[in-house]
Amino acid sequence: MALPLKDNVQLDRAIQELCDQAGQVGGLAVGGVTSADDRRTAYLNTVARAEAQLRNFFTDPILWTRLRGERHWMICSLSPSNPNLARLITDEAQEQARYLGGLADRLDRFARRVDAASGDFVVLDTNVLLHYEPPWQVNWNEVLGSKQPVRLVLPLRVIEELDEAKYRDRDKIPQRARGLLSQLWRVLEPSKGAPAALEGKPGITVEVFLDDEPRRRTLDADAEILEECQTLRAAGRPVSLVTADTGLSIRATALGIPVVAMPDKYLRNKPAPTPG
């Protein structure tokens, strides 16, 4: 998934400010002030401003603690007369400029992906995929009570859980998982995960948001799904979560994420009628 954004972040503004911060930090690599101590002060002030911006835009502390690594603390501790100080400032400024520029590039790719199709985001969890009819057999406008285009989003963690379900020793779950993954591969492989139309479902697309950075898989699958919902919501589009998982529903509601329950008529195994 893309960078974990705070709510109400204006993507264009965030991209521009990250580019500006990268330029300011990079400018320190070529000097411009007379003494090493002055350069250090300028460097520390610039990093502090960059950190404040990252805190304003993102929810993951890893993104701003990355600005203060081992070399940063060496810059803070060295004497102004140390001949290594100027070189350390140059090296660190170049590195942090690349880092901030990379964040801006990632955010720009995410913004362009958000605009890749029209419609409101609808995030599906693993439970719904395994226990209800597959997405291409659901009337999504009816389920959502809306005539707007719909962008079905499958978090990467959900795809991974479907892969794991192929090997469960439990009733028909492995067969369902294999069937879902096979069909999803046929739909999504040509688009490389970008929005792809569901056959016979005008205005309905399915997609998987991917990031080009190393994946950090957590132990809490629900937290990953909720983070994806929050990041998409921060991009300015309506987002809802379709799940039959009570715990996930409660957590989503607490975060202000609308939860949509799948109608029982789409259950694969419908409950037996109650004797009357």
Side-chain angles (χ1 to χ4, degrees):
M1 184 53 188
L3 295 162
L5 294 167
K6 285 189 173 181
D7 282 344
N8 302 315
V9 170
Q10 296 179 6
L11 292 178
D12 289 346
R13 172 175 168 265
I15 293 166
Q16 184 58 56
E17 293 199 12
L18 285 172
C19 288
D20 291 345
Q21 291 294 337
Q24 291 175 29
V25 175
L28 297 172
V30 296
V33 288
T34 55
S35 70
D37 201 32
D38 287 341
R39 284 190 68 195
R40 172 164 57 191
T41 299
Y43 162 78
L44 295 176
N45 289 339
T46 303
V47 168
R49 288 193 295 271
E51 179 181 347
Q53 291 291 6
L54 296 185
R55 288 175 178 270
N56 285 336
F57 297 145
F58 305 114
T59 60
D60 190 344
I62 288 178
L63 294 175
W64 56 81
T65 56
R66 166 70 174 72
L67 293 171
R68 299 182 186 273
E70 181 179 358
R71 193 159 47 192
H72 170 86
W73 297 115
M74 290 179 65
I75 291 171
C76 293
S77 63
L78 286 179
S79 165
S81 60
N82 192 303
N84 294 319
L85 180 56
R87 177 182 55 80
L88 283 172
I89 293 172
T90 296
D91 292 347
E92 183 69 356
Q94 290 174 337
E95 172 64 24
Q96 298 302 357
R98 284 192 293 268
Y99 172 64
L100 292 167
L103 290 181
D105 289 342
R106 289 174 64 190
L107 203 54
D108 181 64
R109 288 192 292 272
F110 174 66
R112 286 187 277 112
R113 176 61 184 276
V114 167
D115 292 335
S118 60
D120 298 344
F121 289 116
V122 177
V123 179
L124 306 183
D125 81 339
T126 314
N127 182 293
V128 162
L129 290 170
L130 288 175
H131 296 288
Y132 290 79
E133 296 294 342
W136 39 91
Q137 294 181 16
V138 174
N139 183 336
W140 289 105
N141 293 121
E142 178 186 66
V143 170
L144 300 168
S146 169
K147 296 182 180 180
Q148 300 297 317
V150 175
R151 294 177 66 172
L152 301 176
V153 176
L154 304 179
L156 184 58
R157 184 60 177 266
V158 168
I159 299 296
E160 292 171 346
E161 290 190 320
L162 289 177
D163 267 317
E164 293 164 3
K166 293 187 301 186
Y167 307 103
R168 290 183 193 168
D169 182 16
R170 181 183 169 191
D171 196 21
K172 298 180 180 179
I173 294 298
Q175 180 182 350
R176 291 177 188 172
R178 289 189 177 94
L180 283 163
L181 288 167
S182 176
Q183 182 64 29
L184 289 170
W185 174 257
R186 284 195 291 271
V187 174
L188 291 169
E189 192 277 333
S191 70
K192 311 303 180 187
L198 285 184
E199 186 176 355
K201 297 287 181 182
I204 311 296
T205 59
V206 63
E207 60 193 290
V208 177
F209 270 84
L210 300 172
D211 195 10
D212 51 11
E213 292 295 305
R215 168 136 163 72
R216 288 194 297 123
R217 179 182 166 111
T218 69
L219 295 176
D220 189 340
D222 286 356
E224 283 196 41
I225 294 171
L226 293 172
E227 182 179 283
E228 185 135 349
C229 291
Q230 290 176 292
T231 297
L232 293 172
R233 180 176 64 183
R237 294 279 189 92
V239 178
S240 56
L241 172 66
V242 179
T243 179
D245 185 311
T246 303
L248 180 56
S249 297
I250 292 172
R251 292 174 71 177
T253 301
L255 293 171
I257 300 167
V259 176
V260 177
M262 284 287 282
D264 287 347
K265 73 176 185 178
Y266 290 113
L267 276 167
R268 291 179 185 254
N269 295 328
K270 295 178 173 57
T274 304

